[in-house]
Amino acid sequence: MLHFTPDSPLSIAMLALCGVLVCVFEFVNGFHDTANAVATVIYTRSLRPAVAVVLSGIMNFLGVLAGGLSVAYALVELLPPDALSPPDGAPAVPMLLAMFGTALTWNLFTWRAGIPNSSSHCVIGAIVGVAIGDSFLHGRHLGDGVDWQQVTKVLEALAFSPVLGLVGAGLLYQVLRAVVKDPALYQPPPEGDAPPSGWVRWLLVGTCSAVSFSHGSNDGQKSIGLIMLTVVGLWPALYALNPHEAHRLPLAPAHAVQMQQILEQYDHDGLRADALAAAARLRAQSEAAENPVASQTVQRAAAPQAGQTDAALAVVQRGDVFQVVAGLKKVMHQAAVPARVKATAKALQAELKPVVEFAPWWVRLLSAACLSLGTMIGYQRIVRTLGEKIGRTHLTPAQGASAELVGAGLILTAGYTGLPVSTTHIVTAGIAGSMLGSGSGVQRSMVSRIVLAWLATLPVTIILAALLFYVLSL
């Protein structure tokens, strides 16, 4: 049995391996999901494949840089705070290996089968599996070990977004049919290499660019969150706390007292003792900051290892912030809590979050580079599935444009509201919706295979990740 301990050579080596794996996952995400953006322009011969994938890669790169961090930490919050803190090698290595190993395996399996499956579902299932494995490992009830409210919020977005894509693309196709009379928009690609007529061609290039940009803005955030988990494990002294926001700690004494009192008074929804203990430590640090002698004592008490390093203190503070943010979140979602208390809890949470929810510029660039490079290969299998095997007739420009316009709008909206959604599911459902809207119908056998893969992804990745995390953590 492997033994992971903080700062051990094995832990450092495994964390470095996790850093490689998260980059590989984002690379695979790029070539697995690229077909959703380039299928229409390649299938209709609007652009040559090499040009299409380079354009998509560039737009994915720009989308990652322009995206925020709300999706990144919406995923991170699926994990229980003690699995996140401290990510010092011991809990970080099994967690990251379980997540990346599971998500990569299922992603590659579905890509090899030519099935448009969701990288988002893979990683979300793996994260939920780790959370469940952590509950079993610590003998906790699943209601305490897994933030089911956050899980439900994420799964609702994943479930409803393809339905919106299906309906929206079908309606948009019918609107186009009623308003735009150019026959070139409704004809399958001709034989040979001739592209569609001028304006139709550039419409498809525009929708391809929009889907690529929106994919980068949403999926890129997912890898940023995962990269940060690895980065904090490797360099806790530098990245456990946001160097530009670390001045928020210690908290103002009045805020620290208020935070602790809220958690103590409204402990009615399974709040763990860890959150209360973390709040007490943050309060002690805030009070000790006004007393230099006491401050030294508090720091020695907080650091988990002999030697009392700055890295150890930073890691503990990061863990305390995650625990308290999770506790305040539970208070905010309890029906019996007065509105004014919820408002105070929300304000305190907003004060704490920037301390731990951040990403350095180079992490954004790394995520963008891996996603855009992956975008430039591996698209052929799924392009043919989307172009020929979903509908009973071949894809037309109007159908492709309808699916991509609706998809880009949904994905961008979700990315800037903090909801992780699946580009694959939305665009694939949109193509099916445009086929239905045109009256051509869909191929039931292929649609059944795709839906079966969608339905299997979450349970398979949850079970695999839970088992792998449990075994590596023993």
Side-chain angles (χ1 to χ4, degrees):
M1 180 66 65
L2 296 176
H3 294 283
F4 302 108
T5 56
D7 301 324
S8 72
L10 177 60
S11 292
I12 294 172
M14 289 296 99
L15 282 167
L17 173 62
C18 291
V20 173
L21 284 177
V22 71
C23 293
V24 172
F25 173 78
E26 191 66 352
F27 184 83
V28 172
N29 182 4
F31 75 68
H32 193 286
D33 289 3
T34 294
N36 303 296
V38 301
T40 301
V41 289
I42 291 176
Y43 190 72
T44 60
R45 302 177 183 87
S46 297
L47 290 176
R48 294 185 181 277
V51 177
V53 295
V54 169
L55 172 65
S56 182
I58 292 171
M59 296 307 296
N60 267 284
F61 186 90
L62 295 175
V64 175
L65 297 184
L69 292 175
S70 55
V71 172
Y73 284 96
L75 289 186
V76 168
E77 289 176 6
L78 292 174
L79 291 164
D82 54 357
L84 291 169
S85 54
D88 57 7
V93 170
M95 174 182 68
L96 295 169
L97 287 178
M99 286 194 300
F100 301 146
T102 299
L104 274 171
T105 299
W106 189 252
N107 236 0
L108 289 171
F109 173 77
T110 52
W111 169 80
R112 188 71 179 82
I115 298 174
N117 189 56
S118 168
S119 299
S120 302
H121 276 211
C122 290
V123 73
I124 289 168
I127 289 174
V128 174
V130 167
I132 291 173
D134 184 71
S135 295
F136 284 120
L137 189 69
H138 293 90
R140 287 198 299 260
H141 188 275
L142 286 181
D144 293 335
V146 181
D147 187 349
W148 291 112
Q149 193 158 32
Q150 180 69 8
V151 170
T152 301
K153 177 183 175 182
V154 168
L155 294 184
E156 284 176 349
L158 290 173
F160 285 115
S161 54
V163 176
L164 294 175
L166 179 82
V167 175
L171 293 175
L172 180 57
Y173 177 87
Q174 293 180 337
V175 170
L176 284 175
R177 191 83 185 184
V179 175
V180 183
K181 301 301 182 181
D182 189 339
L185 198 58
Y186 309 103
Q187 296 173 355
E191 296 295 331
D193 295 328
S197 63
W199 79 273
V200 174
R201 179 184 185 184
W202 295 112
L203 169 66
L204 296 176
V205 171
T207 60
C208 166
S209 301
V211 172
S212 299
F213 182 87
S214 62
H215 176 257
S217 71
N218 198 289
D219 276 49
Q221 289 191 54
K222 297 163 192 170
S223 68
I224 287 173
L226 299 178
I227 291 172
M228 283 306 299
L229 294 179
T230 306
V231 166
V232 172
L234 283 169
W235 300 294
L238 294 175
Y239 296 112
L241 303 176
N242 185 347
H244 302 295
E245 298 289 343
H247 62 273
R248 296 174 182 262
L249 294 179
L251 293 168
H255 289 182
V257 171
Q258 199 172 29
M259 174 187 65
Q260 186 179 14
Q261 288 175 344
I262 287 175
L263 291 177
E264 288 175 346
Q265 185 174 357
Y266 296 98
D267 183 8
H268 304 309
D269 191 29
L271 295 179
R272 291 187 295 275
D274 294 342
L276 298 174
R281 283 192 293 271
L282 290 178
R283 177 180 176 178
Q285 290 168 4
S286 71
E287 293 173 346
E290 298 180 350
N291 184 335
V293 176
S295 177
Q296 190 175 10
T297 304
V298 170
Q299 290 189 13
R300 285 199 299 268
Q305 303 294 332
Q308 318 306 327
T309 64
D310 291 339
L313 180 59
V315 164
V316 169
Q317 287 179 317
R318 177 181 177 85
D320 287 344
V321 171
F322 268 120
Q323 292 282 5
V324 172
V325 165
L328 291 172
K329 184 178 178 182
K330 281 183 174 289
V331 170
M332 289 162 55
H333 288 122
Q334 291 180 47
V337 176
R340 59 177 180 79
V341 176
K342 290 183 179 182
T344 303
K346 184 176 181 179
L348 292 171
Q349 193 185 48
E351 182 178 357
L352 285 174
K353 274 189 171 185
V355 177
V356 291
E357 295 190 0
F358 72 105
W361 64 268
W362 64 266
V363 169
R364 292 174 180 269
L365 283 179
L366 179 62
S367 172
C370 292
L371 184 62
S372 59
L373 289 173
T375 295
M376 298 181 188
I377 69 166
Y379 57 86
Q380 294 94 335
R381 291 178 182 274
I382 297 173
V383 164
R384 189 171 171 218
T385 298
L386 295 177
E388 298 180 2
K389 297 184 178 181
I390 292 180
R392 291 179 181 172
T393 59
H394 289 191
L395 185 74
T396 67
Q399 291 166 338
S402 298
E404 290 188 333
L405 280 172
V406 170
L410 289 173
I411 297 161
L412 278 174
T413 301
Y416 287 103
T417 54
L419 293 175
V421 294
S422 166
T423 301
T424 302
H425 288 197
I426 291 174
V427 174
T428 305
I431 290 176
S434 67
M435 293 287 181
L436 293 171
S438 68
S440 62
V442 296
Q443 296 187 41
R444 291 185 179 179
S445 60
M446 176 51 67
V447 171
S448 297
R449 285 181 61 196
I450 293 173
V451 172
L452 182 61
W454 290 2
L455 295 176
T457 295
L458 282 175
V460 167
T461 52
I462 287 171
I463 292 170
L464 286 178
L467 290 174
L468 187 56
F469 177 77
Y470 186 82
V471 170
L472 289 174
S473 299
L474 288 177

